[in-house]
């Protein structure tokens, strides 16, 4: 008889209970605490399946001012590579150091 009472007191969990409340466990398997940053700068912590520290949501550039939009679009473009030309005069004389070679 006491077994029936204990079984009735156990919480009935099914597939619908997770939509109403949070999962009742201390460790969430295969998830990592990650900081989510919204476009307005607000942050909150989520559980993410990959180990990342911060996830930032993309900003709609059409809501920015003209100067900010131009700055962000310039940052997206690839940087131009600077060509460096070496104009070294080669006045090295190897015969000058022949006396230091051992035979």
């Amino acid at each position: 008889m006491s077994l029936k009472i204990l079984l009735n007191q156990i919480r009935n969990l099914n597939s619908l209970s997770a939509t109403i409340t949070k999962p009742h466990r201390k460790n969430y398997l295969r998830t990592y605490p990650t900081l989510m940053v919204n476009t307005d700068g607000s942050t909150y912590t989520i559980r993410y399946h990959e180990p990342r520290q911060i996830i930032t949501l993309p900003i709609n550039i059409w809501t920015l001012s003209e100067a900010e939009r131009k700055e962000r679009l310039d940052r997206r473009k690839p940087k131009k590579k600077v060509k460096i030309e070496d104009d070294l005069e080669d006045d090295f004389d190897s015969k000058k150091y022949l006396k230091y070679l051992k035979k």
Side-chain angles (χ1 to χ4, degrees), residues 3-102:
L3 184 60
K4 277 187 162 183
I5 295 171
L6 288 176
L7 288 176
N8 287 338
Q9 291 177 354
I10 293 175
R11 191 169 170 198
N12 292 329
L13 297 176
N14 57 18
S15 64
L16 300 176
S17 66
T19 61
I20 298 170
T21 64
K22 67 174 187 167
H24 297 285
R25 52 182 102 120
K26 289 183 180 180
N27 297 327
Y28 301 98
L29 300 177
R30 297 185 189 96
T31 57
Y32 304 93
T34 305
L35 191 67
M36 177 71 77
V37 180
N38 286 333
T39 57
D40 61 352
S42 62
T43 60
Y44 54 93
T45 305
I46 62 168
R47 294 185 302 268
Y48 196 65
H49 65 279
E50 293 179 2
R52 294 188 179 187
Q53 289 184 346
I54 295 177
I55 297 175
T56 56
L57 296 176
I59 295 176
N60 186 2
I61 62 170
W62 301 111
T63 59
L64 300 175
S65 67
E66 186 66 33
E68 291 175 339
R69 184 182 314 139
K70 184 177 180 183
E71 180 183 339
R72 286 194 179 264
L73 289 174
D74 288 341
R75 277 193 267 161
R76 289 184 185 180
K77 294 179 182 176
K79 295 180 181 178
K80 295 179 182 177
K81 294 184 180 180
V82 179
K83 293 182 180 179
I84 300 174
E85 296 180 11
D86 294 332
D87 293 335
L88 297 176
E89 295 180 15
D90 191 15
D91 58 349
F92 180 74
D93 186 18
S94 61
K95 293 180 181 178
K96 184 177 180 182
Y97 297 98
L98 285 176
K99 61 183 177 184
Y100 298 112
L101 291 174
K102 292 182 181 179

